[in-house]
Structures are given as C-alpha cells and as structure tokens.
Amino acid sequence: MTDAPASDPLKIVLAGGSGVLGTALAADLEGRGHEIVVLTRSPDASSPYRQVSWDGESLGEWVSELGDPGRTAVVNLAGALVDRPATPENLRLLRESRVAPTLALVRASQGLAAPLRHWVQASTTAIWSDGGERRITESTPLPATGLPQMTGVARVWEEASAEAVTNHRIVLRTSLVLQDDSPLLHRLSGVTRAGLGGRLGHGRQWISWIHLADWLRVVRACLGLEPGKEIPSGVLVASHDRPVRNAEMMAALRAHYQRPFGLPAPAVAVRLGSRVLRTDPALGLTGRHCTSEVLAGLDWQFEVPDFRAALALLT
C-alpha cells in the first residue's frame, strides 16, 4: 500500500464524523487533499465538510457515496460516548449506537460492484476490560467474560463489521486520546482543577493513551497514506508505547494545571462520586497496559515522546 497520488485522492466516507475525533480526522485528511463525506443524523450548516444524511440504521441515498469503491474508504467511528453509568439502558445505547450503523455500512458494502479500498473500524482497548499487570498487544486473547460496558460493547461492535466487503479492513482498538476539547480532557481537567487530582483507587492501574497527532498518523497508515508503514488487515492497537500508572497520570495533570496537591480518591469514594458525576466508576478504577506489536514491527516512532509531553501540547 502506498499513499494515493494527488491526482487520485481517496474518498473517505466517515461515520461518526461529527465527534471530536471525527472532526479532527476530517480536517487532517481534507488538508492532505482527500475527499471527505460525513454521514450524519443531524447535518450542521457550519460544518466545512460535505454532509450526507442517514439514520444510522437503514440503507438510503447515502449508499451512493460508496459508488466508486476503488478509491473509497470507510472510517466508522459511530457510537455514543461511554462516559455514562453502566445501567441496562445505557449498555443497550452503547451497543446499539455502534452495532446498528456498522451493520448498515456492511450491508451497503455488500451491494457494491467491487470491494471498498479500505475499511477502518473503530474499537477500543477497553475490550480487554481490566488488564491488571498483563502486557497486552494485538495477539492477547480477549477475556472469556469481561465488563459488559467494555468487553460486552466492544466485542459486538467489532463482530458487526466482520462481513464488510473490502480489500483491507483494520479493527482499530484505540486507547485514551489526548486531544483539546475532548470529553475525556474536560473530565480530567475538571477534577484536577477542583483539587481532586490525586490517584484513583490504589493508583497502580495502567493507563494506555495516545496523543491526537499520533492517532491521526496511525489512521493515515491504516488508509495506506504513510509510505513505508504498511499495516496488514486485522487488529491494530492505537496506543503509545509508554503507558503510565494512574498515579503518574494524575501527578502529570496536577503539574500541567498547576495544582500542587490533589486529594486521592479511594475506590469507595470513586464509586460514590461517580453517582454525582453520572459516570462509570470502572472508567477510573480499571486499566490496561496496551502497546502495539504491529507498530513495533514497523519500527514506528511516535511524534510525542511521553505523557507529560503530550499534556504540554494541549491548551
């Protein structure tokens, strides 16, 4: 795979393109000369990208956007935010908001005259639930059972894309993405600025992360747009090769936001506080040490050297 020449740019059909990651990806790819089409339930007149309406469930006029499969790639990021309590209603929302759009895209691909050029299927490193001290890579088996809001959501999300008709499909298991204006950063900065930026629980849980700039480059590689970095079909972990402990992450956040002290939060306090914040305590109390053996095999060099450097790049 090589980068598409300027005379033959890719057409990228982006589901979930109105979120913070999707918006950043659209800007990055369009700035490199590629055509962007955002599938959206709620078109935004202020968006600089071409938008096509869909309901995320059924086939419609949007399918025609896949009509030139030889130059078309699908990037599927569609799904509701995970930062919510793990109630039965929310678990159903998390699953359905991911599976239904994925199945619609798959059905559309099955009606094309030729396979799509690329398919990048979003997923999450949380599919491994709480990894403890395991060193996790693409080849690490999934847990037989796992947290329903993590493994239970991500497994069916990935499986829904299995029958996509494409020459090249990557399931991109992404870790925490450090990005300005993201819900994740808003949550972390809020608790840190409020003086609650101490360790969560025992603080030893591993936090896998990646800066937006490196994540964008990984996605470009998935689309064949990084010369010399050919990524085969299959699972790819999008995570920096230097995960941090929760206590280390919180210390770096305190330094970044100039808060010399942060109250630690025992597990029981995290669970109680999550009710007030209407979030899931497992997001703070679990962790995973995830790195990519695929990227390591390509001698991949991350642009951002470590977690503190990543924070320094944020506003």
Side-chain angles (χ1 to χ4, degrees), residues 87-136:
T87 64
E89 295 79 9
N90 284 339
L91 291 179
R92 183 165 56 252
L93 170 65
L94 291 175
R95 288 191 298 267
E96 292 180 356
S97 66
R98 286 162 171 75
V99 171
T102 302
L103 290 176
L105 288 165
V106 168
R107 290 197 301 273
S109 77
Q110 292 171 342
L112 300 176
L116 292 163
R117 184 165 173 177
H118 301 284
W119 185 296
V120 179
Q121 174 63 41
S123 186
T124 170
T125 55
I127 195 169
W128 283 287
S129 288
D130 191 2
E133 291 299 310
R134 284 191 305 167
R135 298 311 196 253
I136 294 171

Side-chain angles (χ1 to χ4, degrees), residues 141 150 171 224 237 270 282 310:
M150 293 183 178
V171 176
V237 168
V270 173

